[in-house]
Amino acid sequence: MLKEPGTITVKTGSMRSGKSGELIEDINAHKRAKMKVLVVKPAQDTRDGDQIIAKEVIDGKPTNIKLPVDANFVSSRRDIMRLIKKTHCEVFAADEVQFFGRWFIKLVQELAFERKMIVLLAGLDLDAWRKPFGIMPEILAHATYVDKCQASCFVCGRPAQFTQKLGGDPTKTVEPGDHYEARCFRCHVMPEDLMAESLGASIIKASTV
Ligand SMILES: [Zn+2]
């Protein structure tokens, strides 16, 4: 949907809630309206390369559900300002904004309310421990529009708002790879509890062999 200059729109929700897909739709809508759109993502999030990708699990496999959009890796205010100057963009779009530092909060307000740009953002609201993720609470507070996207629980199919970490290191918030799925409050388990459960199961399995 087209937005007016001087606004910040945020798509948020859990992993697999469709927020990146909605961001891609908004980016494409503004491109179709012949606006110049700058698309960025945090340099540390190398999971999908230099693209914004909307994935859904179909037949057990993560599958791209929309055509990916090219994005520029950025890690500082300077990177972004340089690209804005170079592209003369009217629309600024960023995915996975929960990974940016606090400098990003001030920057997006400046772009929207001083430069009168259209700002389109997407990011995870909560981490796998159900705690607010990085700068997201402040980004949401400054937003003009917030769309909270709903996933379906991978276990029971009910509406889901939490991200389940399925493997890897239970102390790390972010890891590359597909170690996550959406779960409802009934089925969500803290990462360390899930690891303990699967460890317990493998001990039982080993002792019964
Ligand atoms: Zn569930």
Side-chain angles (χ1 to χ4, degrees):
M1 203 168 103
L2 289 182
K3 300 290 180 197
E4 61 272 37
T7 56
I8 300 172
T9 301
V10 187
K11 310 283 182 190
T12 193
S14 68
M15 291 283 229
R16 310 281 180 258
S17 63
K19 55 192 184 321
S20 296
E22 289 199 7
L23 178 66
I24 291 174
E25 272 179 31
D26 277 3
I27 290 168
N28 290 337
H30 288 84
K31 282 185 180 168
R32 281 196 297 273
K34 308 276 181 257
M35 288 187 206
K36 282 183 191 150
V37 185
L38 171 65
V39 184
V40 305
K41 62 188 284 187
Q44 79 219 67
D45 183 32
T46 53
R47 289 171 294 177
D48 295 323
D50 58 350
Q51 286 184 319
I52 294 181
I53 287 177
K55 267 186 280 193
E56 250 177 40
V57 175
I58 299 169
D59 295 333
K61 275 190 219 139
T63 311
N64 288 355
I65 51 158
K66 297 220 184 298
L67 274 181
V69 165
D70 290 337
N72 299 273
F73 281 123
V74 291
S75 56
S76 67
R77 178 192 168 90
R78 229 171 84 194
D79 289 351
I80 292 174
M81 295 317 283
R82 197 183 298 139
L83 286 166
I84 288 174
K85 208 170 158 191
K86 195 172 125 192
T87 57
H88 303 288
C89 59
E90 303 147 274
V91 182
F92 172 77
D95 197 13
E96 307 288 354
V97 303
Q98 74 277 357
F99 292 140
F100 284 120
R102 293 196 57 78
W103 54 269
F104 191 77
I105 303 165
K106 194 164 165 247
L107 175 71
V108 290
Q109 293 173 74
E110 219 178 283
L111 298 183
F113 310 132
E114 287 169 35
R115 292 182 175 242
K116 317 271 187 299
M117 289 172 72
I118 296 169
V119 177
L120 308 171
L121 309 173
L124 278 172
D125 50 357
L126 300 171
D127 65 18
W129 288 263
R130 306 190 191 181
K131 295 260 172 24
F133 206 136
I135 61 167
M136 281 308 278
E138 279 182 73
I139 292 289
L140 292 169
H142 289 293
T144 320
Y145 306 104
V146 174
D147 292 327
K148 189 130 176 173
C149 305
Q150 280 283 336
S152 295
C153 177
F154 275 46
V155 178
C156 73
R158 290 180 171 110
Q161 87 179 89
F162 300 121
T163 297
Q164 181 68 54
K165 189 166 164 51
L166 292 170
D169 184 341
T171 62
K172 280 193 187 151
T173 318
V174 185
E175 282 184 283
D178 292 295
H179 290 299
Y180 305 92
E181 65 185 28
R183 292 217 186 160
C184 73
F185 69 90
R186 298 170 191 85
C187 304
H188 181 264
V189 186
M190 290 298 161
E192 50 277 18
D193 295 344
L194 190 80
M195 305 294 156
E197 260 175 41
S198 58
L199 199 65
S202 60
I203 290 168
I204 291 166
K205 206 172 156 196
S207 65
T208 52
V209 170

